Amino acid sequence: MVGIFDFTPAIVLLPFVSFLVALAVGDHLPKGGALAGITATAGSLVLAIGTVLAVAGGRTYDATLYTWAEGLDAVDLTFGVLIDPLSAMMLLIVTLVAFLVHVFSLGYMNDEDETGLPRYYAGLGLFTASMLGFVVADNLLMAFMFFELVGLCSYLLIGFHFREPGPPSAAKKAFLVTRFGDYFFLVGVVAVFGTFGTAAFVGSESFPALAEAALRGEASVNTFGFAPGTWFTIVGLLVLGGVIGKSAQYPLHTWLPDAMEGPTPVSALIHAATMVAAGVYLVARMYGFYAISPTALAIIAFVGGFTALFAATMGLVKREIKQVLAYSTISQYGYMMLALGGGGYVAATFHLMTHAFFKALLFLGAGSVIIAMHHNEDMWDMGGLKSKMPVTYYTFLSGSLALAGIFPFAGFWSKDEVLYETLLHGLDGDPILLAAYAMGLLAVFFTGLYTFRMVFLTFHGDSRSATAEDPHGVRWNVKFPLVVLGVLAAVAGFVNMVPVQKVTGLQIDFLHQWLEHGYAGLTVEHYGTLLHDFANYGEAGLSLSPLGPGAVSLGLALAGAIVAHRLYNVPEPVEHTDRLGEIKTVLYNNYYQDEYQVWIANGLTRPVARAANKFDGGVVDGVVNGVSSVSLFSGNRIRRIQTGVVSNYAVLLTLGLTALILAFGLVGGWFV
């Protein structure tokens, strides 16, 4: 009997087919292949909904679809599908956002008489298919392959307007920076195979299960001379390199703001549900491996907390609306990493879900504003758009309230749980977690400030340009995705109301219950056991009420919003950040991170590369070529002895015998 899981490959293949259709015959199709993309993503969405319903009924699925290499030192390389509560949830998020982005593109790309539409929709289809393939991957190698395909698609879409100077440079930067992290990821994949002989995520013979068994003394694996705990930490940090690159965490975050050179719908897809989400999803996918390494958890938490604060400060001074949202994305994914490192697996996945909705909404809302402003992104040229674009305003406001973490919008519940879980486990005596929590908490204030600075400058006050006075109208294909996402940004947080559950005892932590089921070793309970046994999480702070930390977080968010209201919700706002002086310059130039990286490349990397090249050419190649030259010279000389004349050979034999007798005589003292 055919079940819904038999159609799981179709969730990935339908967007891939739209890619092929747009690439092959897009020029001959209406809307440049847009309808094919909408149909394909709608089909994937329907199948994803069916998959979620099946998982809700307690079903899971893990099947090998194709074996493309076997018998390699007992290592099999396969393609397989893994459906459990985590992957099912992510399938729904990706397909929904991708569908809405395709619909939005009708109003953003097609209505603007954009050229190259078949190429755009082909890239969008391949991008979606790559992310979906990554989500359902049942082993680390397959995940890595789709991980790289996601990076390729981002390069193609960010550089879509390749005839302009900015997009090609931004695309190359995104590609190279993320590739740097992916080198470590690839080494990590090889290390996983070398250590465990498998890269499977699930099962008693999966690498997370074998790592746990090795630490408990129940299995033996190849750790290359290291202590098991040390080696597993090294491997986990290698894979984390790819995560930091893709999810734009410090210090590999610099590519993401430049990626705003791509079309706005692409930005929505990258930031909400595909490329940037991939890194966080990967850590959640192999959380059983990270949970056994307290060192790796501490690094993840600290990097996440620092990134959340670091990026939030830069969002305070940006003029372009998409730039503010870009730094917001970096900051919010920092919160997710903070949660994962702080033992908040459910909190991280929760924020991953809510962020997908409100960040897609904010980018598409920004796209609507950009259409109205004739592609002017400078917020200081806007103002007064509230009355002229009511649908965009109120949906954008819903997303902004969620981003700032204002009660009762979605971001409040997920961000509050992130901070609560980090504080809870930090109280177990981990100063790194407490430091990370403090940075994340401070970032809440800055988030509220830059978010509502953006809202007030864009929609409130008087119109500050002729374009803002008479903006271009937007059609239903722009408004429909905004309304859907606006509702989700308002209500999605109700799936996991932990503070209310803690206080009342009501079973309204639905997401937590959702992630309790699935394969053994991939459940919340199992991760909690690992965190307790290996990282000592879960003792001191168990009695901590969520109301106090939640109130502090909400108070800081409101404080930021109030400051923004006082400064920017006026008829003629001024740039108050000018009072920061040189600090504003530093923030506006992103702490000179690009310049610093260029200095590293020119001042360190390039001289080392040149020295290595000279050593290779002068020493390594010199030795090899020298040995070859000596061999050739000797051979040419010795070859002359071979004359073919017997008398010459007799003379050589006689001379050789005489030389040997003389040598032995001298050594043996025969002539003394």
Side-chain angles (χ1 to χ4, degrees), residues 63-84:
T64 298
L65 302 180
Y66 179 71
T67 300
W68 54 283
E70 59 183 350
L72 302 174
D73 294 329
V75 174
D76 296 336
L77 306 180
T78 63
F79 282 100
V81 172
L82 171 60
I83 301 296
D84 70 341

Side-chain angles (χ1 to χ4, degrees), residues 1 86 173 325 336 346 351 354 356 386 489 505 540 633 642 654:
M1 181 178 177
L86 177 63
K173 184 177 181 180
L325 294 175
M336 298 173 209
V346 177
H351 202 52
T354 61
K386 175 183 176 180
F633 178 82
Q642 305 295 324
T654 302

Side-chain angles (χ1 to χ4, degrees), residues 399-423:
S400 299
L401 289 166
L403 170 61
I406 305 298
F407 177 88
F409 288 81
F412 165 78
W413 302 100
S414 57
K415 189 182 294 183
D416 178 69
E417 188 171 350
V418 167
L419 294 171
Y420 173 70
E421 290 286 345
T422 307
L423 177 61

